[in-house]
Every structure is written in structure tokens, then in C-alpha cells.
Amino acid sequence: MWDQRYNSDTYMYGEAPNDFLAQQAHLIPEGPVLCLAEGEGRNAVYLASQGYEVHAVDQSVVGREKALQLASKSGTCIQYDIGDLAHLEAGQDQWSGIVSIFAHTPSALRRELHAKVVAGLKPGGVLILEAFSPDQLSSPGLGGPRDLDMLMALTDLKQEFEALDLQIAREVVRTVDEGELHQGECNVVQLVGVKRSP
């Protein structure tokens, strides 16, 4: 599905970074950053332009090709692996930052993935997450899965990231303007969390 969606000269979610990420990226300490479900590369390329060593992962070969083209056009360099988030290896205390922007998965997989995210962050490392919330199902805005199990409620995320100090944890309605497929007043959940030192 994602290869088909990205098979266009147009960047379906735009070339600019996600607004929330751009606002919060300065909180990530210097070092390697992992971008989950990175798609066409807009967020990874932005982080690389800010001086981070960026490693992206997504299941779309077409998305990877477009991401590398965007990086080249922007004069940046990213590492981009093809992989399923169900089999993600995030390591232990490895990442200065992990970015999850609209990386929706079924809830059972999401809980496993988020446990790997917590383990993979270095102490002091920062998670930045934005996702569509369940209220998006009744929103006029364009974007997000139409399956409730794929959407993220703040109460669930607080439990999944209880090992992090949450600097931001909120559900908001905001105007999203990201390419053709994320548009309008949308219901989102936003998190910034810092991994505690042992």
C-alpha cells in the first residue's frame, strides 16, 4: 500500500517537517536519532539539516528512494533502512532521540514498539511523538487511520511511556498542513518524553 501511495512525483505529506517536530527538535541532545515509519523522509532530512546523525526506518522502498532524493536535494545525508516496525531492533541506551510522527500501528504492536523505544533511548534521550487521536474519526480534517485500534489515546501513551519524564503530554486540535493527505483541523496527541538516568 505505501509503495503505491508514494509512487508519485509529489511528496504526499509534503517536503517540510512536521510542525510539532520542528518546534521540539532542539530538545534532542547531540547524537544519533532514529525516525520511525519515516516514509518520504521529510522529518529525517530536517533533523539531518540540524546536525543530527539520522537513521530512518520504513517498509516502503519507494519512500526510501524519495527520502534519499530529498536528502540529496537538501545537501544532507541520512541512513535509511527498509524494515517492518514489528521487527524493529532499537538496541539498548543507543539513541539520543527517537521520533515517531504519525507512526500508527495496531495497539498490540504499538505497546511492544514503545517498549523498544524506551529501552533504545539513552539516559537523557528524548522521544518526540505526534499521532492522530481517537477523536480524529469524527474530525473534518483529512488524515489518519479509520480503525480505532490504530489511533493513540493519551491515557494509553502515558502508561506505555511511564518510564519517561513527560515534558509534553496532550491531546489537541490543530491545523495540519502536510501535503495532500494531512489537511485541516485534526485531533492529535503530542508527547515529548525524556528517559530518566538510572
Side-chain angles (χ1 to χ4, degrees), residues 9-177:
D9 292 336
T10 300
Y11 282 76
M12 304 309 295
Y13 298 99
E15 299 182 26
N18 170 268
D19 287 345
F20 182 65
L21 172 63
Q23 293 162 7
Q24 307 300 329
H26 69 279
L27 299 173
I28 300 174
E30 181 179 347
V33 177
L34 175 63
C35 293
L36 305 176
E38 180 51 24
E40 298 167 302
R42 61 198 177 100
N43 297 312
V45 169
Y46 171 75
L47 289 167
S49 76
Q50 302 303 300
Y52 292 101
E53 172 193 337
V54 181
H55 183 114
V57 62
D58 196 281
Q59 60 186 329
S60 173
V61 174
V62 176
R64 179 182 186 274
E65 292 172 354
K66 293 177 75 173
L68 295 178
Q69 290 171 7
L70 185 62
S72 178
K73 183 170 74 170
S74 303
T76 60
C77 181
I78 62 173
Q79 182 175 340
Y80 194 124
D81 289 339
I82 299 299
D84 191 318
L85 293 181
H87 303 107
L88 178 74
E89 297 293 338
Q92 184 73 37
D93 299 338
Q94 183 173 343
W95 304 99
S96 296
I98 297 181
V99 171
S100 176
I101 301 298
F102 300 123
H104 294 94
T105 62
S107 59
L109 171 56
R110 187 190 73 232
R111 288 189 289 270
E112 294 178 1
L113 175 64
H114 288 172
K116 293 178 181 178
V117 166
V118 172
L121 281 170
K122 297 177 180 179
V126 173
L127 165 72
I128 298 176
L129 178 149
E130 184 170 59
F132 290 108
S133 72
D135 288 342
Q136 181 66 6
L137 288 176
S138 57
S139 170
L142 179 64
R146 308 322 294 170
D147 178 353
L148 181 62
D149 189 54
M150 299 277 283
L151 300 169
M152 299 188 204
L154 181 59
T155 52
D156 294 332
L157 292 177
K158 284 183 174 180
Q159 292 180 347
E160 292 161 21
F161 292 117
E162 62 182 358
L164 305 183
D165 289 326
L166 298 181
Q167 310 297 308
I168 296 174
R170 63 195 180 200
E171 290 182 349
V172 298
V173 179
R174 76 172 187 92
T175 301
V176 177
D177 181 14

